[in-house]
Amino acid sequence: MEKNKLKAVIFDLDGVITDSAAYHYLAWKSLAEELGIPFDEQYNEKLKGISRMESLELILKNSSQGASYSLQQKEALAEKKNDLYKELIRQISPADLLPGIAGFLKELKENQVKIALASVSRNAPFILRQLGLDAMFDYVADAAAVPNAKPFPDIFLAGMQAFGLQPQNCFGVEDARAGIEAIHRAGMQAVGVGTPEEMEDADLVTTTDELRLDLILDKLGMEL
Ligand code: BG6
Ligand code: MG
């Protein structure tokens, strides 16, 4: 049987390209503490890949006063978190690329495989610039133009459609459960970066350091 040809790889950003997921956590933790709401790293896993407002709703669920906040108050809280997050990500530099990412992106370029970013973060373009990766990405999906965050497939479909490709000619790379689900709902195979427990639904689980095109193609049953 003929194998599907790989034409594009569609990446999540936070926690895949750089560890900005840790800054999202710190910013939410600071807000939760200020509001007296319990919040830890385990609960934070649920927030990965989902939108800013949905994340806030999940945090407020653990507050007895959560239901009493008006939309305006919630928007102010989300903005507060984002202001702190923006402070934190200002320190990101090319040195903060996760291990193996620079080499893997280069390998894709050398093999004429297109590279897209599918992050639902409105801060993604800023982080790409800080990392010095602007020129590496052939397409950056616009989070603001996509109606539904992960686990909906919208942002991965936007990446794929920008190249006029079919899902069987792409795969996605993610660190969040919601992201793996989004990739699958877009009809693509998913490479999960993280622990086997968190990434149990991924088609291949690896670390960024171990991303090698030949190994991935082999595991996913694809070819160049
Ligand atoms: C995703 C993160 O990439 O972006 C989520 O995994 C975050 O944790 C979401 O909530 C939205 O990000 P931002 O920067 O627009 O608040
Ligand atoms: Mg992520």
Side-chain angles (χ1 to χ4, degrees):
M1 205 179 79
E2 210 173 291
K3 291 180 173 178
N4 288 318
K5 300 230 182 279
L6 179 68
K7 300 284 180 199
V9 177
I10 308 184
F11 288 87
D12 173 47
L13 174 74
D14 294 323
V16 171
I17 304 285
T18 189
D19 200 13
S20 39
Y23 295 133
H24 277 296
Y25 170 66
L26 288 177
W28 284 125
K29 173 107 183 124
S30 162
L31 184 76
E33 267 169 12
E34 198 180 311
L35 300 173
I37 303 173
F39 184 67
D40 59 17
E41 285 197 62
Q42 198 191 338
Y43 196 73
N44 183 59
E45 284 299 317
K46 290 187 198 296
L47 275 49
K48 289 187 176 173
I50 68 170
S51 73
R52 195 179 305 164
M53 281 308 261
E54 285 171 320
S55 300
L56 177 67
E57 293 291 354
L58 278 181
I59 290 172
L60 294 181
K61 245 171 68 175
N62 293 332
S63 160
S64 51
Q65 293 147 36
S68 63
Y69 288 100
S70 67
L71 178 61
Q72 210 180 9
Q73 285 170 319
K74 286 180 193 170
E75 279 168 354
L77 291 175
E79 196 179 325
K80 194 167 197 180
K81 179 266 174 180
N82 193 48
D83 286 344
L84 178 54
Y85 180 68
K86 285 199 296 197
E87 271 301 306
L88 293 169
I89 59 177
R90 272 169 53 185
Q91 57 191 291
I92 291 180
S93 78
D96 294 308
L97 274 177
L98 281 169
I101 291 295
F104 186 53
L105 292 174
K106 194 162 165 265
E107 199 184 3
L108 294 174
K109 276 261 174 280
E110 283 165 3
N111 287 283
Q112 284 81 48
V113 177
K114 296 264 186 228
I115 303 173
L117 192 76
S119 170
V120 295
S121 170
R122 311 278 169 115
N123 293 295
F126 175 81
I127 293 181
L128 270 197
R129 271 199 305 280
Q130 294 290 100
L131 291 168
L133 280 186
D134 263 354
M136 267 293 182
F137 281 78
D138 299 294
Y139 182 76
V140 177
D142 180 3
V146 158
N148 303 302
K150 301 163 191 176
F152 286 91
D154 307 26
I155 196 104
F156 283 97
L157 289 172
M160 177 189 97
Q161 285 159 356
F163 302 133
L165 293 172
Q166 297 299 313
Q168 59 272 21
N169 299 116
C170 312
F171 66 79
V173 189
E174 259 292 347
D175 71 319
R177 276 177 192 272
I180 298 291
E181 188 178 335
I183 294 172
H184 282 156
R185 285 165 76 172
M188 298 173 207
Q189 296 199 80
V191 173
V193 167
T195 65
E197 296 78 53
E198 281 301 329
M199 294 291 97
E200 63 182 352
D201 296 328
D203 301 286
L204 165 63
V205 183
T206 181
T207 62
T208 58
D209 215 8
E210 290 164 345
L211 288 167
R212 301 277 184 292
L213 193 50
D214 53 348
L215 296 180
I216 300 173
L217 290 172
D218 188 47
K219 289 271 185 198
L220 301 185
M222 301 178 83
E223 65 183 13
L224 285 172

